[in-house]
Amino acid sequence: MTVVTAETRTASPTFTHRKRGRWLDHWEPDNPRFWESGADKTARKNLGLSVFAENLGFSIWVIWGTVVTSMGAAGFDFLAGLDRGDPVAVSNALLLTSTPTLVGSVLRVPYTFAIPKFGGRAFTTFSAGMLLVPTLGLAYFVNQPETPFWVFMLLAALAGFGGGNFSSSMANISFFFPEGKKGAALGINAAGGNLGVAQTQLALPLLVTLGTHLTAKDAAGYRFGITLSVLVWVPFILAATFGALRYMDSISTAKSDGRSYRLALTSRHTWIMSVLYVGTFGSFIGFSFAFPTLIKANFPDLAQIGWITTLGNLAFLGALVGSFSRPFGGWISDKVGGARITVYALLGMAVASALIIAGLGLRSFPLFLVSFLLLFVLTGIGNGSTYRMIPSIFNAESVARAEAEGIDPATATASARRQAGAAIGVIGAIGASGGYVLQQALRLSNINFHSMTPAFWAYAAAFLLMAGLTWWFYLRTTFATERVASLAYANV
């Protein structure tokens, strides 16, 4: 970010807003006069286009979570037994849904560095346009019944590029807004992406059903329905790509801070918080991908009820409630403390996992659904509380170091912000990889035990251990009980 001095304020105190995109060689949003003279409009313009592109990234990222539930009926033998809970079919389905999760999590690190190197305008154009490859590829190959499994695995991996869009989008928007408005802007950007999961899980089953009703309820009809549900995103992807190319801006002074990344990587708190974020966001994204498959495999009869299927109406609710509960997690953390809310959320997630096990054992879909929705709500709250903890932890560490070594407090605070920003990129990538681990646990449990119950017991135990980890490092001592709740930084 540009350093604001008296000289720069005098040289360029105002800004001219333009609709067309361009390189911005001078950008100082923390200067009130500069901000109010048109920079605010430019920042909001870029935020709106970023939300649109990121929302589509999440939509394509999660598309396989729903598509696999219809591919058996579309004539693909490797998923033909999914509605009977066949272990091989369930395993293949979870491989297809977990692969995008893994690729998306890995790409989050390089995507964070792409904005300073290529500029927000160019890279958003590329990342949005890239979504056409897995979309058009799936639309073509799903109409080739002899297509081997590995081709679909490759297409699922390419869909993972949509998951990487989160990091580049968040990094880009962070440069546009002043410190006092950055939290709200990043919160809007993150929520817009997360809602892409829910909208895909709502729209795709309905479009598949529409396609089969327009043709025939046979394999060809299901292939047409899947094609329709995939191609519907193409006009939006083209619009996002064109919008980014024509209207977004790039900030030439947006540079990455390599020193802050090195400091963040050597801090134990980066790795502790990564583990906690695996439990919260990893669970959210992993269960979001797997939820349609879990309903289909464990309660297959419910997917056959009427024109608007139960599968199409209910699977999306998990991602929806998890997305909306995330801001609440950050807000309540301001009042009570991020560490305390994280402990409560993880303990609740362990209880919800036990209730899901009971629902599976009793074959009770209402108990299964309510328990899963509770789990999703708690993952959202945990996402908000853990992200709220990160900048506060680094600030507390920097303040303590400044007091001990006589460092200027303002310098310590600025360093803490940079380290927290760097840590968030690392933590976000590792946390997303938890979604892959979670789905693989489901797959291995189903293969080895012909049941998903052992996996849910493992989740419950992991959530309890994470709650204990949070208490040990951030509530047991005086380090974070008050300090972690003291700062209201960005809830991303």
Side-chain angles (χ1 to χ4, degrees):
M1 184 176 292
T2 303
V3 177
V4 180
T5 65
E7 182 180 350
T8 57
R9 285 193 180 96
T10 302
S12 182
T14 60
F15 176 82
T16 302
H17 169 70
R18 295 180 186 173
K19 290 184 178 180
R20 287 289 297 270
R22 53 180 166 156
W23 276 97
L24 303 175
D25 294 323
H26 184 79
W27 186 254
E28 48 176 291
D30 286 297
N31 181 340
R33 186 177 180 186
F34 183 90
W35 178 252
E36 294 167 4
S37 64
D40 56 340
K41 294 179 181 178
T42 295
R44 287 195 294 269
K45 176 191 70 173
N46 282 274
L47 174 61
L49 292 166
S50 176
V51 167
F52 184 36
E54 189 198 345
N55 176 275
L56 290 170
F58 268 77
S59 296
I60 303 306
W61 191 25
V62 78
I63 203 170
W64 279 93
T66 302
V67 164
V68 294
T69 63
S70 300
M71 287 184 65
F76 295 95
D77 293 339
F78 50 81
L79 291 172
L82 182 61
D83 57 354
R84 301 189 304 273
D86 177 71
V88 175
V90 173
S91 174
N92 288 336
L94 290 172
L95 277 173
L96 287 170
T97 61
S98 62
T99 297
T101 314
L102 178 63
V103 173
S105 64
V106 171
L107 286 177
R108 284 189 169 199
V109 174
Y111 268 45
T112 299
F113 290 99
I115 296 300
K117 185 171 182 62
F118 301 106
R121 177 188 182 188
F123 197 75
T124 304
T125 301
F126 162 77
S127 61
M130 180 67 192
L131 300 176
L132 290 171
V133 178
T135 306
L136 295 176
L138 175 56
Y140 173 78
F141 283 106
V142 80
N143 287 288
Q144 314 300 318
E146 302 304 317
T147 300
F149 181 70
W150 70 265
V151 174
F152 290 113
M153 281 289 290
L154 177 60
L155 291 171
L158 290 171
F161 278 74
N165 289 8
F166 177 85
S167 287
S168 60
S169 180
M170 298 295 275
N172 185 42
I173 292 304
S174 69
F175 289 111
F176 276 96
F177 285 83
E179 288 298 329
K181 299 180 183 295
K182 193 173 292 186
L186 292 174
I188 292 170
N189 202 52
N194 286 353
L195 286 173
V197 179
Q199 72 189 25
T200 297
Q201 292 183 338
L202 173 62
L204 258 67
L206 300 180
L207 289 169
V208 171
T209 303
L210 174 62
T212 59
H213 278 70
L214 290 175
T215 52
K217 293 183 180 179
D218 56 11
Y222 273 95
R223 289 196 293 273
F224 176 78
I226 293 173
T227 304
L228 176 65
S229 72
V230 172
L231 291 180
V232 73
W233 302 107
V234 171
F236 298 102
I237 295 171
L238 291 173
T241 304
F242 174 78
L245 178 62
R246 185 174 178 83
Y247 296 110
M248 287 192 75
D249 303 291
S250 295
I251 301 173
S252 58
T253 54
K255 301 297 181 184
S256 59
D257 187 348
R259 182 174 182 273
S260 293
Y261 269 92
R262 289 191 295 271
L263 290 172
L265 289 172
T266 59
S267 172
R268 67 175 182 174
H269 299 295
T270 298
W271 305 106
I272 295 169
M273 295 306 300
S274 294
V275 172
L276 300 184
Y277 205 54
V278 164
T280 55
F281 182 76
S283 296
F284 169 78
I285 200 66
F287 283 127
S288 293
F289 274 75
F291 200 25
T293 297
L294 293 176
I295 294 177
K296 181 102 174 183
N298 291 289
F299 302 94
D301 295 340
L302 295 175
Q304 309 300 326
I305 299 176
W307 153 247
I308 300 180
T309 67
T310 301
L311 181 66
N313 273 277
L314 299 181
F316 83 99
L317 289 175
L320 185 68
V321 298
S323 298
F324 279 110
S325 65
R326 181 171 184 161
F328 175 76
W331 175 80
I332 195 66
S333 294
D334 285 340
K335 310 295 182 182
V336 179
R340 187 168 293 150
I341 294 301
T342 300
V343 168
Y344 294 157
L346 289 166
L347 291 175
M349 289 165 64
V351 173
S353 299
L355 292 174
I356 291 170
I357 293 169
L360 290 172
L362 297 172
R363 307 297 300 167
S364 170
F365 182 71
L367 177 58
F368 174 84
L369 177 64
V370 171
S371 302
F372 239 118
L373 293 182
L374 173 62
L375 180 62
F376 272 109
V377 168
L378 292 168
T379 63
I381 292 173
N383 287 340
S385 63
T386 51
Y387 250 55
R388 186 68 77 183
M389 288 171 65
I390 296 166
S392 301
I393 289 170
F394 280 94
N395 184 77
E397 288 258 290
S398 295
V399 169
R401 189 180 303 111
E403 293 174 353
E405 300 176 7
I407 301 173
D408 176 47
T411 302
T413 299
S415 175
R417 289 177 177 173
R418 291 193 295 269
Q419 289 181 56
I424 282 173
V426 176
I427 292 167
I430 296 175
S433 69
Y436 174 80
V437 175
L438 181 147
Q439 292 177 79
Q440 290 305 304
L442 283 170
R443 186 179 72 86
L444 294 173
S445 176
N446 194 69
I447 290 175
N448 294 307
F449 301 101
H450 302 290
S451 169
M452 297 179 185
T453 297
F456 282 102
W457 279 124
Y459 301 149
F463 297 147
L464 290 175
L465 287 173
M466 291 174 188
L469 187 69
T470 308
W471 174 84
W472 181 266
F473 284 101
Y474 302 118
L475 289 176
R476 180 179 64 95
T477 69
T478 58
F479 173 76
T481 304
E482 290 84 16
R483 292 169 117 174
V484 168
S486 64
L487 297 177
Y489 276 109
N491 172 38
V492 185

